[in-house]
């Protein structure tokens, strides 16, 4: 049982990778189409984690500006070598497999170099790249090979298994064609490889089973970084499949020696709720669990829930926005500015149904959560929304004459409107446990959408939260709650978010 809090990092922070440098821990996670991309959290005690910056803070570092939904920054590996931080990642359906470096993990990071095949023709094609060096300084990129869907025999696997190339990091060119390595116990989607040299042996740890309920972590051992590798007798080392554990989908891990010398594994998981634990509202979060070694093999303990205390975020817009604010396929400073202690969003004709909305938000980090914002809509129309993607979002909007709640569910739309003739309005968006139905609790949560106008509360709508879960949306991200503008300018004078995991 770990005494550490779990989730380790709340809200959608999937595919965690970790490195220890001079007594500090640095954690990197995926961000897909959101910018800034690839957050770096830092901790000394593995308990308190501070968001110190992002890898992608400038246009062009990622191709996120134009990636399709679900594309973008997938699965980083962060390491430290020869005095520099290194991060490799696949910018899926964007730039390809990239290598970033920095002297300081807080940034600035490099522009990102494409890792290309030996003939220089194209990016090494695969996901979840890992970067490792042997004692001679040879650099190994180990990744999960993919087949383009057009090549697929319907009965063939979409993954080519775990592959590896040696790379000249001066030219970012592979020194050979990809070779296949051990690829797990035969479960689907062998991915998320990480190579470690420990006590003279080389270990290749992977995820397999797919990032859903079948997710698992397996490991193999060999005498060198290229193998051959022999799978552990105890594989898979950890999986929540077919268990009643509150944290499911556990997999995609990275190993590190913790502050007290114990080995730890950070990994992704979800906290599904409903009668059959079907819906994960927040998406895939970062968790931690203990690792014990026996006969040269690690054992990974089941991931135990140990929720953090609730939080309250009260944003003062007279100060610069903190690094938690994110936008879709563009940076927050492209969609908003601070003016006289307010956050001003200037519409450009887009809505949340578009690829690049005028929207800036923060991850929902708690299962029970409420955000209240005060808007001035005297010069425009806008509101408060919780978003999974362009087809799945719930919003509450004000235009000075009325307030309107809308549920956009995969092309279906329902809306509720009430008169509210006021230019200043408070909007409330809450996620609450479902009102228990007669038979059993049948969903993750309910959204409660309301407004307060001139001191009068208007309860507009309640919407089933299952429709904004990673399972229903088939999304790699998670809920992001933010403010948006659809016409003119909208000014936000306050943002208060309170939540807990009760
Ligand atoms: C990630 C891979 C995965 O690259 O999903 O399903 C991808 N597993 O490990 C995005 O998180």
């Amino acid at each position: 049982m770990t005494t550490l809090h779990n989730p380790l990092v709340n809200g959608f922070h999937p595919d965690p990778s970790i490195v220890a440098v001079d007594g500090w821990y640095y954690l990197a996670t995926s961000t897909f189409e959101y910018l800034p991309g690839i957050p770096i959290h830092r901790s000394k005690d593995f308990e308190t984690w501070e968001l110190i910056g992002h890898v992608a803070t400038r246009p062009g570092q990622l191709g996120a500006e134009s990636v399709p939904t679900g594309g973008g920054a997938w699965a980083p590996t962060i390491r430290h070598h020869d005095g520099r931080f290194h991060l490799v990642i696949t910018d899926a359906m964007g730039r390809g497999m990239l290598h970033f470096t920095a002297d300081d993990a807080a940034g600035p990071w490099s522009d990102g170099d494409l890792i290309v095949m030996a003939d220089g023709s194209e990016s090494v094609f695969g996901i979840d790249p890992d970067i490792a060096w042997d004692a001679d300084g040879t650099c190994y990129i180990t990744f999960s090979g993919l087949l383009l869907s057009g090549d697929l025999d319907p009965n063939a696997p979409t993954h080519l298994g775990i592959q590896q190339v040696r790379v000249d990091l001066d030219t970012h060119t592979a020194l050979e064609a990809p070779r296949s390595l051990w690829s797990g116990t035969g479960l689907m989607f062998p991915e998320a490889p990480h190579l470690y040299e420990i006590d003279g042996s080389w270990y290749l740890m992977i995820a397999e089973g797919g990032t859903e309920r079948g997710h698992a972590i397996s490991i193999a051992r060999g005498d060198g970084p290229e193998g051959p590798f022999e799978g552990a007798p105890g594989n898979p080392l950890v999986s929540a499949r077919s268990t009643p554990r509150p944290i499911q989908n556990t997999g995609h891990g990275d190993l590190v020696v913790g502050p007290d010398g114990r080995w730890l594994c950070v990994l992704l998981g979800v906290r599904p709720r409903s009668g059959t634990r079907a819906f994960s509202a927040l998406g895939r979060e970062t968790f931690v669990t203990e690792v014990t070694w026996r006969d040269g093999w690690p054992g990974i303990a089941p991931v135990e829930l140990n929720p953090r205390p609730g939080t309250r975020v009260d944003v003062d817009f007279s100060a610069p926005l903190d690094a938690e604010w994110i936008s879709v396929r563009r940076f927050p400073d492209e969609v908003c500015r601070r003016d006289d202690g307010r956050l001003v969003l200037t519409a450009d004709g887009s809505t949340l149904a578009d690829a690049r909305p005028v929207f800036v938000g923060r991850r929902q980090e708690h299962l029970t959560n409420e955000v209240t914002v005060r808007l001035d809509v005297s010069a425009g129309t806008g509101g408060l929304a919780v978003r999974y993607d362009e087809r799945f979002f719930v919003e509450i909007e004000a235009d000075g004459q009325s307030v309107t709640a809308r549920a956009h569910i995969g092309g279906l739309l329902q809306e509720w409107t009430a008169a509210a003739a006021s230019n200043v309005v408070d909007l409330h968006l809450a996620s609450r446990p479902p009102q228990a139905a007669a038979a059993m609790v049948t969903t993750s949560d309910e959204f409660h959408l309301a407004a307060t106008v001139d001191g009068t509360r208007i309860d507009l709508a309640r919407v089933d939260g299952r429709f904004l879960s990673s399972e229903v949306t088939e999304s790699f991200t998670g809920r992001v709650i933010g403010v948006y503008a659809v016409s003119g300018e909208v000014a936000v004078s306050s943002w208060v978010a309170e939540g807990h995991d009760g």
Side-chain angles (χ1 to χ4, degrees), residues 90-116:
T90 289
D91 183 15
M93 297 168 271
R95 290 182 60 198
M97 190 180 290
L98 300 171
H99 172 233
F100 294 91
T101 59
D103 294 324
D104 181 340
W109 287 79
S110 63
D111 290 342
D113 293 286
L114 192 63
I115 300 171
V116 296

Side-chain angles (χ1 to χ4, degrees), residues 15 32 74-75 127-128 191-192 211 252 284 476:
D15 312 323
F32 306 95
W74 282 26
I127 60 172
D128 304 0
E191 51 199 6
T211 199
H252 201 116
R284 300 172 302 164
F476 284 140

Side-chain angles (χ1 to χ4, degrees), residues 271-281 367 409 431-448 462-469 471-472 479:
R271 294 186 278 167
R273 287 198 169 175
S274 83
T276 58
R277 285 197 182 139
F279 308 113
S280 310
L367 296 163
I409 310 296
S431 304
R432 296 198 185 118
Q435 304 301 319
M440 60 188 282
V441 171
T442 59
T443 190
S444 51
D445 58 346
E446 287 178 336
F447 295 116
H448 292 242
R462 284 167 48 178
V463 177
D464 187 326
R466 82 179 70 203
F467 300 114
L468 268 64
S469 65
E471 291 84 359
V472 171
R479 288 184 185 171

Side-chain angles (χ1 to χ4, degrees), residues 53 172 247 345 399 401:
H172 287 94
I247 301 167
L345 292 89
D399 61 7
Q401 298 304 313

Side-chain angles (χ1 to χ4, degrees), residues 332-397:
D333 64 9
E334 296 178 73
V335 298
C336 63
R337 69 181 191 278
R338 287 182 306 107
D339 182 355
D340 190 24
R342 303 192 303 176
L343 188 70
V344 178
L345 292 89
T346 303
D348 63 4
S350 65
T351 73
L352 281 165
D354 294 312
R356 293 153 52 88
V358 175
F359 169 87
V360 60
R362 304 168 73 92
R363 293 167 178 80
Q364 179 175 336
E365 299 184 344
H366 297 290
L367 296 163
T368 299
N369 193 73
E370 177 150 7
V371 176
T372 293
V373 297
R374 175 158 296 175
L375 297 192
D376 177 343
V377 293
S378 55
T381 298
L384 175 64
V386 53
R387 175 189 191 274
Y388 247 92
D389 61 31
E390 297 81 14
R391 300 178 62 245
F392 290 88
F393 58 95
V394 172
E395 62 190 5
I396 179 165
E397 186 171 290

Side-chain angles (χ1 to χ4, degrees), residues 19 21 24-28 38-42 51-57 78-80 83-87 101-109:
V19 67
V21 181
W24 286 95
Y25 295 93
Y26 299 89
L27 186 83
I38 319 167
I40 304 292
H41 288 81
R42 184 182 67 178
L51 176 54
I52 60 172
H54 290 78
V55 171
T57 57
I78 186 168
R79 296 292 185 254
H80 192 263
R84 304 207 76 198
F85 286 91
H86 294 256
L87 185 136
T101 59
D103 294 324
D104 181 340
W109 287 79

Side-chain angles (χ1 to χ4, degrees), residues 411-436:
L412 302 175
L413 169 62
Q414 184 169 0
E415 67 178 37
W416 305 259
T417 295
S422 170
N423 287 331
V424 177
V425 58
D426 288 355
L427 300 180
H428 315 282
L429 194 160
S431 304
R432 296 198 185 118
Q435 304 301 319

